[in-house]
């Protein structure tokens, strides 16, 4: 372990004094001081080892030696801006492009997911001179002003007057808790129609749609997996209105979903967004990010005559690190690992769902999994306090997990991609134990015994799952299937 | 030299194919491929060495070994987010704070100058719930949407309808070419009154001023040095209206001005901004940045209930690098070097001004210097093509310089802070030679011989200079002093 500079209490006091109080720390009543990390493990100042189940930034594993070495070597040699030619800039753009559908061929390198999403909005608005944006309920797209505007996850805290009149919110395509659920005959079309309705309303008021933006799978919004076919239909409506489709892959890209490199590809090969934004995992923690778009969108942006210059974006160190991340994903077959370990994780969690009434839904693809806790499987009352309790107890047992979603009741698993089946066993066993204790204390028991496999069949039939034979996601529960009219959204 | 991956022509072609065409390269007809850099020198793929006179990001010198080592070591150990306690985060905040007036005590770590300025606007708007922003003519504050809105350098390319109605533009406090010049008895007060007028106009329309934002010295705007006392008076007007003063130090901070660590300190000890934003030099090229503000502003921001989380901001690697940059500035006395070498640079340029009619003005502080080229010292007709020609010829002679300002006629010198008097001699001798050739070709000669020292005296008397005895800046020329009525703004 590296030596501490300050005792923990001093660190806490200096943080209170000098770091903005809006920057919250995890486990604020007893925060964790981390001094070192490796793979899927983080170490505190006493040498205690935590299993990291939440850090999708340390994508190929914390401090991966190959990524570290690439950064170290390039730092020694050159770190300057993209106004000079540099081979690693173009090589990296070429390599990224090779992971994407062919028409997504033009890159803009920036420093963060927020910068990427902001630039995506600028590209979209310049494309046809339109201004209105459609975003999803509970969406989070970043922390700069323009993104607070399109992030209901954030702006629901603002007054109506503070909300941007050019932003329109469509229902989240959440088939568990949303407007159209697993029992709906065609939730993809129903949710896409909601977007169409917004476009028509905007049009009647004289507005023009610049873009629809969505995470390919909503993350902060509660690990939501949109029904297959939703994006295609939305894109058709949006294109007809002259807008573009922005797929935000900041949280979910780079092989995490297991079956595909990009999460938008879960919708099928017939779907290609106009703009893709990347972030968090792209540099395994190094501040970097990218926007990829089509030649047409890029040329329209240039036609404004306004140059785009990003001081740090696309510097040689970032590009060297980005290249190393792509290499490691490929060499270590981390996408394959996400698929295999993700499948094991989901299957183990499904068994927990049969055992624990607090588990309302298990959904996810690869190593992007959500466990939604509810107090009542019929009314879907969010088990918010219970989710927080699970998180706190896990932390005491040296497992780092978080809870998110609009009700903060969805346990989020999005670990480094080197996560193993042993790690799965460890975290699932602990969740099992904690839920057992909580349910005992609450006196919670199953109130009916309807056969789980019949529900599963129904869900599979309506196609609410990740593509491929390796079904990791449903978005469904028994009670809702039998209780169409009882939608309680709290 | 490191091996190339692609031949130069392939690099150019791949760049055309895969990098957004709005991302312009320097010297587009014959761009430079840089493969390595050290100190104030950059090396192309053939091993040719360029003297870097423009890169204020490589602040302590390209690839400074101490900074590189700090980054390398921390990358191996830990690179995670600020939701965990980390000693280097708080140590760095403490060290940064120590360079600032005491009341600027709360830091937010972000990834770029753009993220910093956007957050500054969010802080300002939350402070009293006001919305209107006053910015300066020709200002550039970054590339995200909210900053294009406040950057006339960028938004002058937009139609009126695209410009943000909450943004108001005050005249640039440019005493050479601006509304009030060196011959004005009190340009600081006159320019500050312009801001007061805007506040009153906004107030009459029911608006409320959230902030006045300005670079402490305008950089892209043309290396403009505001008259001493201007910021104090602006701050008084803005505070009275319930707004805050944001000093943008992204280009000019960290000792570059020589006499002080921060450029806003040139205005005098009686001036303290409410928010300071930092960027470019902070990490010597590593993508990082910071906003520092007062406890009051930070607490008002928190009171909105909205958390602020920045994925990469304040990560241990960025903090380790930031600490190393502060250490090197101090150990190598780079602020002192900026003062000494900057003084030598300005004095050599002043002599060039006596010789070359194309030089209209020399202004600057420390290693932040502008040479404004004009075709006519009376009418101040910008010598835009000539400035571009100087840049191109210098590049051919292996010296990297740029031209900026609203007329692209200001040669900008802002080299790495390890710049030496030998480097000054090299670049000034070359400028001398190129200007001689250009003036010969144009048939340009001085049309009067009025004594330069008498003008200098007048300028000094009205205080239009950097504080300290080491006068590096004037913002004046002979012709204007005698031609009050002949303001030709082209």
């Amino acid at each position: 372990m590296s030596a501490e500079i300050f005792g923990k209490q001093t660190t806490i006091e200096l943080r209170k004094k000098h770091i903005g109080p809006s920057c919250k720390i995890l486990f604020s009543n007893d925060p964790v001081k981390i001094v070192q990390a490796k793979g899927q493990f983080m170490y505190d100042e006493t040498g205690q080892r935590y299993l990291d189940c939440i850090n999708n930034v340390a994508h190929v594993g914390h401090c991966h030696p190959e990524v570290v070495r690439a950064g170290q070597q390039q730092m020694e040699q050159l770190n300057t801006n993209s106004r000079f030619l540099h081979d690693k800039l173009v090589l990296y753009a070429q390599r990224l492009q090779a992971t994407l559908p062919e028409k997504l061929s033009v890159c803009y390198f920036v420093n963060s997911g927020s910068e990427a999403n902001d630039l995506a909005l600028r590209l979209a608005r310049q494309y046809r001179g339109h201004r209105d944006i459609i975003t999803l309920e509970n969406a989070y797209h970043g922390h700069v002003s323009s993104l607070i505007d399109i992030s209901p996850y954030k702006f629901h805290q603002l007054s109506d007057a503070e909300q941007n009149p050019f932003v329109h919110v469509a229902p989240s395509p959440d088939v568990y808790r949303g407007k159209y659920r697993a029992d709906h005959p065609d939730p993809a079309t129903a949710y896409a129609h909601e977007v169409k309705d917004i476009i028509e309303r905007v049009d009647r008021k004289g507005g023009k749609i610049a873009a629809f933006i969505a995470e390919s799978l909503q993350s902060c919004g509660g690990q939501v997996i949109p029904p297959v076919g939703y994006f295609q239909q939305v894109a058709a409506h949006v294109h007809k209105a002259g807008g573009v489709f922005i797929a935000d892959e900041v949280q979910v890209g780079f092989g995490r979903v297991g079956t595909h490199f990009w999460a938008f590809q879960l919708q099928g090969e017939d779907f290609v967004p106009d703009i893709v934004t990347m972030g968090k995992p792209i540099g395994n923690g190094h501040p970097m990010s990218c926007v990829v778009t089509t030649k047409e969108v890029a040329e329209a942006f240039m036609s404004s005559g306004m140059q785009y210059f990003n001081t740090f974006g696309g510097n040689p160190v970032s590009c060297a690190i980005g290249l190393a991340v792509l290499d490691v994903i490929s060499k270590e077959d981390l996408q394959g690992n996400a698929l295999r370990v993700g499948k094991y994780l989901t299957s183990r969690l499904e068994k927990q769902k049969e055992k624990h009434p607090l588990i309302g839904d298990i959904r996810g693809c690869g190593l992007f999994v959500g466990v939604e806790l509810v107090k009542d499987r019929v009314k879907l009352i969010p088990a918010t306090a219970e989710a927080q309790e699970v998180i706190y107890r896990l932390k005491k047992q040296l497992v780092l997990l978080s809870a998110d979603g609009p009700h903060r009741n969805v346990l989020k698993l999005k670990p480094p991609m080197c996560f193993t089946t042993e790690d799965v066993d460890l975290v699932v066993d602990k969740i099992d134990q904690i839920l057992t204790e909580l349910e005992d204390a609450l006196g919670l028991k199953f109130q009916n015994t309807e056969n789980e496999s019949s529900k599963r069949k129904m869900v599979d039939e309506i196609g609410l799952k990740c593509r491929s034979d390796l079904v990791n996601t449903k978005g469904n529960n028994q009670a809702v299937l039998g209780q169409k009219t009882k939608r309680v959204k709290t």
Side-chain angles (χ1 to χ4, degrees), chain A residues 26 63 194 237 284 322 479:
Chain A
L26 287 175
C63 301
E194 294 277 341
H237 297 317
N284 214 44

Side-chain angles (χ1 to χ4, degrees), chain A residues 333-407:
Chain A
D333 186 24
L334 292 179
Q335 185 182 322
N337 190 65
L339 184 63
R340 290 182 295 273
V341 177
K343 189 186 169 194
Y344 181 69
L345 170 63
T346 318
S347 70
R348 281 227 49 197
L349 287 170
E350 286 289 353
K351 282 182 199 126
Q352 294 299 311
K353 187 180 155 191
E354 289 169 17
K355 184 173 167 191
H356 294 291
L358 270 172
I359 299 182
D361 192 33
I362 304 293
R363 53 183 179 260
C365 298
L367 283 172
F368 180 82
V369 173
V371 180
E372 179 150 0
L373 300 189
V374 291
K375 286 184 181 167
D376 180 317
R377 287 194 181 182
V378 178
K379 294 180 181 164
L380 307 191
I381 299 166
T384 305
E386 290 75 11
Q388 294 309 312
E389 187 63 24
V390 171
I391 298 304
Y392 266 86
R393 290 197 193 182
L394 280 173
K395 177 249 184 180
K396 279 195 181 153
Q397 296 179 46
L398 309 181
V399 174
L400 299 169
L401 202 70
S402 71
D404 215 330
H407 307 288

Side-chain angles (χ1 to χ4, degrees), chain A residues 232-483:
Chain A
Q232 286 89 328
Q233 294 189 60
V234 167
H237 297 317
V238 169
H239 287 155
K240 206 174 153 197
V244 299
F245 191 113
I246 304 170
D248 176 344
E249 292 269 341
V250 170
Q251 297 260 11
V252 294
F254 292 90
R256 175 163 296 281
V257 298
T259 50
H260 300 82
F261 200 78
W262 301 105
F264 71 78
Q265 294 170 322
L266 291 167
Q267 293 273 316
E269 285 188 7
D270 54 334
F271 174 67
V272 180
D274 304 291
I275 301 175
V276 174
T277 59
M278 304 165 186
K280 296 185 187 285
I282 190 172
N284 214 44
H286 185 79
M288 60 184 285
S289 187
C290 187
V291 181
V292 187
T293 190
T294 63
K295 221 176 148 203
E296 292 68 36
V297 171
E299 282 172 358
F301 191 57
M302 190 185 61
S303 73
S304 75
M306 199 186 283
Q307 285 189 27
Y308 182 78
F309 176 63
N310 189 306
T311 300
F312 305 128
N315 70 72
V317 174
S318 296
C319 293
I321 287 174
L323 281 163
V325 168
L326 292 180
D327 285 341
V328 171
I329 292 172
S330 162
K331 272 195 220 172
E332 300 185 3
D333 186 24
L334 292 179
Q335 185 182 322
N337 190 65
L339 184 63
R340 290 182 295 273
V341 177
K343 189 186 169 194
Y344 181 69
L345 170 63
T346 318
S347 70
R348 281 227 49 197
L349 287 170
E350 286 289 353
K351 282 182 199 126
Q352 294 299 311
K353 187 180 155 191
E354 289 169 17
K355 184 173 167 191
H356 294 291
L358 270 172
I359 299 182
D361 192 33
I362 304 293
R363 53 183 179 260
C365 298
L367 283 172
F368 180 82
V369 173
V371 180
E372 179 150 0
L373 300 189
V374 291
K375 286 184 181 167
D376 180 317
R377 287 194 181 182
V378 178
K379 294 180 181 164
L380 307 191
I381 299 166
T384 305
E386 290 75 11
Q388 294 309 312
E389 187 63 24
V390 171
I391 298 304
Y392 266 86
R393 290 197 193 182
L394 280 173
K395 177 249 184 180
K396 279 195 181 153
Q397 296 179 46
L398 309 181
V399 174
L400 299 169
L401 202 70
S402 71
D404 215 330
H407 307 288
R408 306 266 166 193
N409 66 323
V410 182
L411 306 180
K412 281 164 76 168
L413 291 116
K414 46 185 180 69
M417 300 266 285
C418 50
F419 214 63
T420 67
T421 52
E422 290 73 31
D423 300 327
V424 168
D425 286 335
L426 188 128
V427 63
V428 175
D429 288 348
K430 285 188 189 297
I431 289 175
D432 182 14
Q433 185 199 335
I434 294 168
L435 289 179
T436 303
E437 289 163 13
L438 286 176
E439 287 161 355
D440 283 351
L442 292 164
L444 268 182
K445 281 182 195 168
F446 275 116
Q447 301 192 343
N448 66 49
T449 53
E450 195 181 323
N451 188 293
E452 283 283 323
S453 64
S454 68
K455 295 173 304 168
R456 175 73 47 241
K457 195 159 164 281
M458 282 183 63
V459 174
D460 285 359
E461 279 165 2
I462 56 173
L464 303 170
K465 53 170 181 126
C466 280
R467 309 228 344 168
S468 91
D469 297 324
L470 302 145
V471 180
N472 289 5
T473 177
K474 311 296 136 355
N476 179 36
N477 77 14
Q478 164 184 7
V480 171
L481 286 173
Q483 300 275 347

